[in-house]
Amino acid sequence: MNQYNPPKKTGSLLERAGEIYDYIPAVRTEEQRDNAPKSAPPETPARQVIPVRQRPVEAYDGPTVIVDRDKLRDAGFIVPDGPVTGISEEFRIIKRQLLLAAKGSQKMAPLPRGERILICSAHPDEGKTFCALNLALSIAAEKDNEVLLVDADFAKPSILSSLGLEGSKGLMDALADPQLPVENCIIHTDIPGLAILPAGDQTNADTEYLASSRTEQVLNRLTQNNPNRIVIFDSPPALSASPASVLAMHVGQVLMVVKADETTETALRDALSLLGGCDHIQLLLNGTKFSPTGRRFGSYYGYGE
């Protein structure tokens, strides 16, 4: 078991993970601007400011695939339109912080490329795909956003099988073939707000394709016509495959999944150093068997586990 100081009695899962592993995420900040009102020149008439409205994006009305809800339920994932559970409440809390960083607020500017979120771990079997899929399902329930879940674990893709879907062309195919529009690889599901971009066929040069200039062009196409889309990447483990470090340079946020009592501090720090291409990294403590506050998420609604 890792050595750590007892956590505080309050704080989110992200904050508790950071405290346990003595890690302070790097948060990009901006200099304070002088907001003091300045008087206009005496003879300059005041101008009326007219807000500019973004043109709404038309809803997709093409073919969709049916996600196996029973398969989701049996595997412990959030079930769309299902009852409120402890796991669904936890991911509601987690997604709110990520969406705030992506969209900004009156007190903070949005992170550059904050709508792209990389879910990673140090080693396999620490819960990154479980967290990526649950986070995507939770964001899909938002009224003002939709989510595109990208299976970027090219060596061992598992998103489609977790949803009970068939394989198809995906991200790596679009990177390798300039004639293949990445939009044509997206799978739209019958879950409102949820679309999937499969990993595609693995190559012997996955990392090199990701490091090419074409990657940024392809990723920009995922959101350029849909400003309300959040893109979540299910990454390979950082210490097991090289694509994770390259993917980190293309996103605005990284969520590092840390498995309680299994992920060592050394492994975590080594993984974080490889993901230094992203300036905004947070930790998600997964698989905890205790709650310092005794709180059981979801119990307020009568569905506590």
Side-chain angles (χ1 to χ4, degrees):
M1 182 171 178
N2 301 326
Q3 297 296 322
Y4 58 86
N5 295 324
K8 297 177 181 179
K9 296 295 184 180
T10 60
S12 67
L13 295 178
L14 301 178
E15 294 167 338
R16 300 208 306 265
E19 181 190 353
I20 289 175
Y21 287 91
D22 187 28
Y23 172 70
I24 301 177
V27 181
R28 185 176 295 164
T29 61
E30 297 182 355
E31 294 183 357
Q32 295 287 338
R33 294 184 178 180
D34 184 10
N35 294 322
K38 298 180 180 179
S39 59
E43 297 183 357
T44 302
R47 292 181 296 178
Q48 182 181 7
V49 178
I50 302 176
V52 178
R53 295 180 180 272
Q54 284 187 331
R55 182 181 177 183
V57 178
E58 294 182 0
Y60 175 80
D61 59 357
T64 61
V65 298
I66 299 176
V67 173
D68 189 337
R69 266 68 165 180
D70 291 334
K71 192 175 184 68
L72 287 178
R73 184 180 298 104
D74 293 342
F77 291 108
I78 295 172
V79 179
D81 299 324
V84 176
T85 63
I87 196 71
S88 66
E89 277 296 277
E90 287 177 347
F91 278 95
R92 276 178 169 173
I93 294 171
I94 293 167
K95 75 174 177 182
R96 196 57 54 206
Q97 299 179 57
L98 299 172
L99 290 175
L100 179 62
K103 298 300 180 181
S105 67
Q106 294 181 346
K107 296 183 178 180
M108 61 178 288
L111 290 175
R113 295 186 294 191
E115 73 281 358
R116 301 180 193 170
I117 304 170
L118 182 69
I119 312 299
C120 194
S121 62
H123 294 296
D125 302 320
E126 292 181 334
K128 66 173 183 62
T129 299
F130 178 82
C131 293
L133 183 47
N134 273 322
L135 182 61
L137 290 167
S138 185
I139 293 178
E142 291 289 304
K143 306 306 179 185
D144 298 324
N145 295 108
E146 63 180 60
V147 62
L148 174 64
L149 177 57
V150 181
D151 194 340
D153 193 344
F154 306 107
K156 297 182 178 181
S158 59
I159 294 296
L160 292 181
S161 60
S162 297
L163 294 170
L165 304 179
E166 299 292 333
S168 66
K169 294 289 184 181
L171 176 58
M172 189 51 63
D173 299 297
L175 294 178
D177 182 3
Q179 303 303 317
L180 177 61
V182 69
E183 299 93 326
N184 294 355
C185 302
I186 294 176
I187 299 174
H188 295 268
T189 75
D190 66 325
I191 298 175
L194 176 66
I196 308 295
L197 178 58
D201 294 328
Q202 185 183 10
T203 72
N204 293 327
D206 291 349
T207 303
E208 287 71 24
Y209 278 122
L210 287 171
S212 69
S213 59
R214 175 169 165 75
T215 298
E216 188 63 24
Q217 300 171 10
V218 170
L219 297 184
N220 284 338
R221 293 175 68 96
L222 298 178
T223 54
Q224 66 182 3
N225 294 323
N226 193 340
N228 295 322
R229 173 179 278 173
I230 300 296
V231 183
I232 296 177
F233 297 87
D234 179 27
S235 164
L239 300 182
S240 301
S242 56
S245 60
V246 181
L247 281 167
M249 295 188 291
H250 292 288
V251 302
Q253 302 186 70
V254 169
L255 188 63
M256 173 64 72
V257 177
V258 179
K259 192 166 185 179
D261 301 329
E262 291 192 23
T263 306
T264 65
E265 182 176 345
T266 300
L268 176 59
R269 293 189 180 277
D270 288 345
L272 291 172
S273 67
L274 292 175
L275 301 176
C278 179
D279 292 334
H280 190 91
I281 303 176
Q282 297 191 78
L283 305 183
L284 172 59
L285 188 60
N286 182 42
T288 58
K289 298 180 175 62
F290 70 95
S291 171
T293 63
R295 177 171 46 189
R296 300 172 65 186
F297 291 102
S299 60
Y300 185 83
Y301 292 89
Y303 300 106
E305 295 176 342

